Amino acid sequence: NVATLLNNMATILKSQHKYEEALSLSQRSFQIYQKTFGDDHQYTGRALNNIANLLALQKKSDEALVMFQRALSVLEKSYSNPYHPELATPINNIAQLLCAQGQSEEASLFFRRALEILEKSVGPHHPDVATTSSQLASLLFAQRKFDEALPLYQRSLTIAQQIHQQPDHPDIIALRNVVNALILLQVVMHFVCHLK
């Protein structure tokens, strides 16, 4: 099918950082999906999400946000299950974009929603749950909400250890370092509080 071929070509161009060319192909792919399946079909929603990703990569944040929200709306209509795992993708993309724009509180809500969907749809030990937990933890860490960030990082570490089963895997080392640093930070803060 032509739309799928265009989408695949756009993916290749995206990997080569040729975002304008990729965007053009993604838009053509979207138009075909829209004409073939209608406005509220999952293929149309996925195509919108792809366009939004390319806009975000070009630093067109406002346009990207509108497209991510539109993609989410289409996918919500196309799936009868509010916890369909595919819904987590545009929700997570919205969270990341809001985070990059400094809208931390709103981003946190979207990360939490994506995490809830993933936990219910793919299970609590899935790699996507680890990724989203880590993203939310990073946001909470940046907000100095260390007590909330630590269990999320620990959860990501546990999942990463189950997936990779190699203690020297870079993901495991990075997460272990963050967890250990947060634990140390809590000990220091506790000590400092008791000195006052």
Side-chain angles (χ1 to χ4, degrees):
N1 126 2
V2 175
T4 302
L5 179 62
L6 289 169
N7 187 59
N8 292 342
M9 290 170 55
T11 301
I12 292 168
L13 290 169
K14 177 182 168 186
S15 71
Q16 297 171 345
H17 305 284
K18 298 179 180 177
Y19 303 133
E20 281 294 331
E21 294 172 59
L23 180 60
S24 176
L25 293 179
S26 289
Q27 289 168 331
R28 287 176 49 203
S29 175
F30 163 72
Q31 291 167 347
I32 293 169
Y33 283 134
Q34 186 180 38
K35 190 175 280 188
T36 305
F37 298 106
D39 290 334
D40 296 332
H41 193 275
Q42 60 192 13
Y43 292 157
T44 307
R46 286 183 202 142
L48 286 167
N49 191 71
N50 293 342
I51 291 169
N53 271 318
L54 289 164
L55 290 168
L57 288 169
Q58 294 177 57
K59 309 293 186 217
K60 298 177 181 177
S61 299
D62 293 337
E63 291 176 64
L65 184 58
V66 169
M67 293 302 274
F68 280 134
Q69 291 168 332
R70 190 170 162 200
L72 176 59
S73 176
V74 168
L75 290 171
E76 285 175 330
K77 290 175 188 170
S78 71
Y79 295 113
S80 58
N81 177 2
Y83 295 102
H84 191 284
E86 198 163 331
L87 295 176
T89 301
I91 292 170
N92 189 292
N93 290 337
I94 291 168
Q96 289 181 57
L97 193 59
L98 291 170
C99 193
Q101 293 178 334
Q103 298 179 47
S104 300
E105 292 302 323
E106 195 172 352
S108 175
L109 296 174
F110 279 93
F111 278 133
R112 290 176 195 279
R113 183 171 169 210
L115 187 56
E116 179 185 14
I117 289 170
L118 290 168
E119 289 170 336
K120 291 184 179 189
S121 62
V122 297
H125 306 292
H126 192 276
D128 291 345
V129 171
T131 300
T132 304
S133 293
S134 187
Q135 290 169 323
L136 176 57
S138 295
L139 174 63
L140 293 168
F141 182 86
Q143 295 176 309
R144 303 180 63 82
K145 296 179 180 178
F146 306 124
D147 290 341
E148 292 180 59
L150 179 59
L152 290 165
Y153 278 129
Q154 289 171 320
R155 180 178 190 191
S156 295
L157 175 59
T158 300
I159 296 170
Q161 288 170 329
Q162 292 169 351
I163 294 167
H164 301 298
Q165 298 182 353
Q166 298 169 339
D168 60 343
H169 189 279
D171 291 348
I172 293 173
I173 292 170
L175 284 167
R176 191 180 316 114
N177 288 342
V178 171
V179 166
N180 290 338
L182 274 174
I183 291 170
L184 180 61
L185 180 63
Q186 286 182 327
V187 169
V188 170
M189 289 173 67
H190 179 75
F191 180 74
V192 170
C193 287
H194 283 354
L195 286 178
K196 291 181 180 179

